[in-house]
């Protein structure tokens, strides 16, 4: 799966499921600040990612993520490694 496909799917998830304004989502934007999710929302995000991509993200996967691009790269690596 291409990174662009991952970005498009995640943008849809962020906007539709978490009501994040699309203007807050850009590759260089701060991931945590841009989403503004609480801990329960992150659980929902992990579940949605597993449903959409068939991969499981764990807490350790989120530690090095600073930007949306970091998130996309992490997800791309997991998706393409399976």
């Amino acid at each position: 799966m291409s990174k662009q496909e991952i970005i498009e799917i995640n943008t849809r998830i962020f906007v539709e499921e978490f009501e994040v304004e699309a203007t807050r989502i850009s590759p260089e934007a701060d991931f945590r600040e841009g989403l503004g999710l609480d801990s329960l929302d992150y659980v929902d995000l992990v579940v949605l990612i597993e449903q959409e991509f068939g991969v499981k993200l764990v807490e350790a996967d989120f530690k090095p993520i600073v930007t949306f691009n970091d998130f996309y790269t992490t997800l791309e690596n997991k998706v393409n490694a399976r």
Side-chain angles (χ1 to χ4, degrees), residues 21-54:
E21 292 179 34
T23 57
R24 298 183 70 173
I25 304 168
S26 72
E28 292 77 32
D30 184 280
F31 183 74
R32 288 168 184 80
E33 186 178 302
L35 289 180
L37 304 180
D38 63 26
S39 57
L40 291 176
D41 289 331
Y42 278 104
V43 172
D44 291 340
L45 177 59
V46 168
V47 170
L48 289 167
I49 294 299
E50 188 171 2
Q51 290 172 347
E52 284 286 336
F53 298 99

Side-chain angles (χ1 to χ4, degrees), residues 14-28:
F14 299 148
V15 170
E16 291 177 7
E17 300 293 331
F18 299 103
E19 299 177 358
V20 175
E21 292 179 34
T23 57
R24 298 183 70 173
I25 304 168
S26 72
E28 292 77 32

Side-chain angles (χ1 to χ4, degrees), residues 6-16 20 22 25 72:
I6 289 171
I7 291 169
E8 290 170 7
I9 292 168
N10 277 292
T11 299
R12 179 182 49 78
I13 289 171
F14 299 148
V15 170
E16 291 177 7
V20 175
I25 304 168
Y72 302 142

